[in-house]
Amino acid sequence: MEGERPKISVIVPVYNVEAYAERCLASLAAQTYPHMEVVMVDDASTDGGGRICDAWAAREEGFHVVHLQENQGVSAARNEGSRRASGAYIAFVDSDDYVEPNLLERLYQALTEGQGDVSACGEVGLGLRAGPARVLAPAEAARCLARRAPFLWTPWGKLFPAELVKETPFDKRVLCGEDLLFFYQILKRVRRIVYVPDPLYHYVYRAGSLINNGVTEKRCVVLSVLDRVCQDAAGSFPEAEACFQQIALDTAARLAMQTVENGAEGSPRDYLKRFRNDARRHFSWKAWALRPNKKSMAAELALCAGLPVFEGMAAVYRRLKPLWRNRMG
């Protein structure tokens, strides 16, 4: 019965995604879970996104909209939505993505059947390797994050206790990497994470989004976040320290590859030196053994070896990449 189920609050931060918001909100209106609310937080959009939110709030019961007076960023928007949420559980959905009708139903079912604190589902759009349904301890979940399979540290595609989310807000000062910092704090406070491989969340690639642009100072903030996480894990989460070191290694190598391929807002050489130093600081053989794939294996070792080695490897990769694409085609 509907009355026996707790309410789930879905937080949707909205900022200049007019072309995507309608599909996102329609997918939430189609949810099979009977007791839910949708809190849309318009982060001072300059397109028609705010009006779309108003229209949904006017016609759909349980849809509420909050309009922020000035743009504050996704962390502030999520925090504001969480503060206003009245449900016992909270799920996050980005307004340029969309979800399957049974997302909330399946996440809640997994949470209760697995007696977990947090549940997570599979996704479509990022190409993560799915795995079997299972219940994980926090250190095991951290290994999943390090291997980038079967789920990441993104807040979307997961179901959290509302009290835990409200006690662990997103850091508004962090402009890139806020998701990782949030999920790390969650991992420190839970006992069981339930994973189900059902591909219920659709991530939509946008060329203009932050992670899909070239390397900038804003993107490099994630390196400082990883420094904080690795330092904290060494003392308070030692069984997962190598996992977060691997995330730091992988992030430095990915940023370095993107700098070589797409350039940077400043001196590419200065960025590469920063990434080399960061990789060396976090390198350990235990962390490296958690590498997600062969490409990461080579990039991380080459970056730690030095810029001439890394740049040589990157040059070979650029020459071979079109051949691999032709083969795949």
Side-chain angles (χ1 to χ4, degrees), residues 29-329:
Q31 288 299 298
T32 60
Y33 190 84
H35 196 29
M36 57 166 277
E37 67 172 357
V38 176
V39 182
M40 303 166 286
V41 183
D42 170 28
D43 191 17
S45 297
T46 58
D47 62 0
R51 292 191 296 275
I52 291 174
C53 292
D54 286 334
W56 276 95
R59 70 174 182 262
E60 192 74 26
E61 183 179 358
F63 278 55
H64 316 288
V65 60
V66 181
H67 294 284
L68 301 183
Q69 295 306 304
E70 59 182 27
N71 179 249
Q72 299 181 41
V74 66
S75 292
R78 286 171 176 160
N79 289 344
E80 182 63 23
S82 299
R83 188 180 70 80
R84 294 172 180 259
S86 61
Y89 293 94
I90 285 177
F92 295 98
V93 174
D94 285 354
S95 52
D96 45 359
D97 300 334
Y98 62 102
V99 300
E100 291 295 318
N102 61 332
L103 170 77
L104 299 182
E105 186 87 45
R106 190 70 183 96
L107 284 175
Y108 178 71
Q109 180 186 26
L111 192 73
T112 54
E113 291 181 354
Q115 297 182 335
D117 302 299
V118 173
S119 58
C121 69
E123 54 73 43
V124 178
L126 285 177
L128 302 181
R129 301 189 308 275
R134 50 183 166 153
V135 179
L136 306 109
E140 294 173 309
R143 280 191 284 275
C144 292
L145 305 184
R147 296 184 185 279
R148 300 178 66 85
F151 58 85
L152 296 178
W153 49 83
T154 55
W156 46 257
K158 300 176 178 69
L159 187 64
F160 304 93
E163 183 178 2
L164 185 58
V165 171
K166 293 179 181 185
E167 293 174 354
T168 316
F170 291 86
D171 190 335
K172 295 186 292 184
R173 300 165 299 178
V174 176
L175 302 178
C176 185
E178 73 285 344
D179 291 356
L180 171 62
L181 189 58
F182 169 78
F183 198 63
Y184 173 73
Q185 297 294 340
I186 293 291
L187 282 182
K188 288 173 61 178
R189 300 188 57 186
V190 301
R191 296 172 302 165
R192 295 158 67 91
I193 299 94
V194 184
Y195 167 74
V196 289
D198 311 41
L200 304 176
Y201 192 98
H202 294 261
Y203 170 81
V204 176
Y205 178 94
R206 284 198 300 126
S209 63
L210 179 62
I211 65 169
N212 297 319
N213 279 333
V215 175
T216 64
E217 282 298 319
K218 184 176 181 179
R219 289 196 62 194
C220 289
V221 171
V222 69
L223 299 175
S224 299
V225 171
L226 284 161
D227 284 342
R228 289 171 55 187
V229 168
C230 289
Q231 184 177 10
D232 183 84
S236 59
F237 205 4
E239 66 273 30
E241 180 184 7
C243 303
F244 295 106
Q245 289 175 331
Q246 166 51 224
I247 296 172
L249 276 171
D250 186 55
T251 301
R254 286 171 180 270
L255 288 171
M257 286 296 296
Q258 290 168 15
T259 299
V260 170
E261 292 181 350
N262 304 318
E265 67 175 0
S267 166
R269 189 76 175 178
D270 288 342
Y271 276 103
L272 290 176
K273 288 178 181 178
R274 184 194 306 188
F275 303 146
R276 176 203 60 197
N277 294 340
D278 199 80
R280 286 176 173 175
R281 184 166 61 253
H282 293 293
F283 183 86
S284 73
W285 291 111
K286 186 176 181 181
W288 182 76
L290 292 166
R291 62 198 181 278
N293 52 52
K294 291 182 179 179
K295 178 183 173 183
S296 295
M297 172 184 70
E300 290 166 15
L301 282 182
L303 188 59
C304 289
L307 296 192
V309 176
F310 179 80
E311 289 168 333
M313 184 219 70
V316 171
Y317 173 76
R318 287 202 306 274
R319 286 197 298 269
L320 294 178
K321 190 174 181 179
L323 300 177
W324 292 335
R325 285 180 172 173
N326 290 338
R327 274 191 173 184
M328 294 295 290

